[in-house]
Amino acid sequence: MTPEKPLTLKAFTLCMRVATELSGEREIILFAYRTPNSDELNVWRELDGRLSFYLSGSGVLFKVPDLGSLQNHLCFTWDSSSGAAALFMNGRKSVTKIYRKAHTIQPGGRVLIGQDPDNLLGGFDVKQSFVGEISDVNMWDSVLSDAEVQHLFYQRTTQKGNVIDWETVDLTPTGEVEVINVNP
């Protein structure tokens, strides 16, 4: 994926629709942003089913219902000034946690969905790959309000990400990836 602008972020909202039949067999990555030096932002489904995101190191984890073959709408939010981090699942907000206050996500990396790059240009581990469907990946350089996230879930808005806009983003599929237009 090629973002609309560099990911120099002090806040973000990252949303996507996800469906998978992989149960607790393994951890799976949903979204990765890696610079030459580190994993700047990774979103995972952990072995125990919790959803998490990591900013250049340790992560923040959320206990939510398991992902399954029915599509789930996920939004992850984080604000550097307060450290407030939250997860929305199908329009419902998790508990807010304090995480990585005063951190900045660095520019100069690559965005991937469904695979964890162990270095900037690859180094993939098949046991961490995503199997299923990921769509409607949108990212903003701010924290959307609870109401805005709920409108996204119910598809009552045409608001698209100003960092990543699923409708216009350049996708470069590699490996066993199929791009399917479900709304022709």
Side-chain angles (χ1 to χ4, degrees):
M1 292 183 115
T2 305
E4 301 285 324
K5 58 184 176 179
L7 274 75
T8 306
L9 302 174
K10 291 187 175 287
F12 69 81
T13 300
L14 172 65
C15 298
M16 63 189 77
R17 294 187 187 276
V18 176
T20 183
E21 292 185 341
L22 289 176
S23 56
E25 304 154 12
R26 64 182 185 183
E27 59 187 1
I28 52 175
I29 191 152
L30 303 174
F31 179 94
Y33 171 63
R34 174 154 182 108
T35 63
N37 299 320
S38 69
D39 292 323
E40 288 289 325
L41 169 59
N42 282 355
V43 175
W44 290 90
R45 199 273 322 263
E46 305 285 341
L47 277 173
D48 63 6
R50 291 182 295 174
L51 296 177
S52 62
F53 69 88
Y54 293 76
L55 300 176
S56 305
S58 65
V60 60
L61 293 88
F62 300 93
K63 186 167 178 55
V64 294
D66 289 338
L67 296 177
S69 59
L70 298 177
Q71 197 177 72
N72 285 282
H73 183 257
L74 306 175
C75 288
F76 299 84
T77 65
W78 171 75
D79 178 34
S80 176
S81 63
S82 65
L87 163 64
F88 289 78
M89 184 177 214
N90 299 329
R92 297 181 63 200
K93 186 178 181 182
S94 72
V95 63
T96 298
K97 299 183 178 191
I98 304 303
Y99 173 66
R100 298 301 306 260
K101 191 173 182 179
H103 179 72
T104 300
I105 297 172
Q106 299 300 311
R110 297 181 66 187
V111 173
L112 291 95
I113 54 175
Q115 186 55 267
D116 177 32
D118 292 327
N119 58 57
L120 184 62
L121 299 176
F124 302 120
D125 180 349
V126 70
K127 293 179 183 161
Q128 294 175 330
S129 64
F130 178 80
V131 177
E133 297 176 1
I134 298 177
S135 65
D136 294 339
V137 179
N138 285 282
M139 184 178 214
W140 294 262
D141 59 2
S142 63
V143 173
L144 298 183
S145 71
D146 294 9
E148 288 172 310
V149 171
Q150 290 167 351
H151 286 308
L152 289 169
F153 167 63
Y154 290 111
Q155 298 179 329
R156 292 184 186 148
T157 181
T158 57
Q159 183 177 8
K160 298 299 179 186
N162 67 346
V163 177
I164 296 173
D165 174 357
W166 184 252
E167 297 297 322
T168 61
V169 71
D170 285 332
L171 295 175
T172 307
T174 56
E176 295 183 40
V177 175
E178 293 293 329
V179 178
I180 300 170
N181 185 357
V182 294
N183 297 317

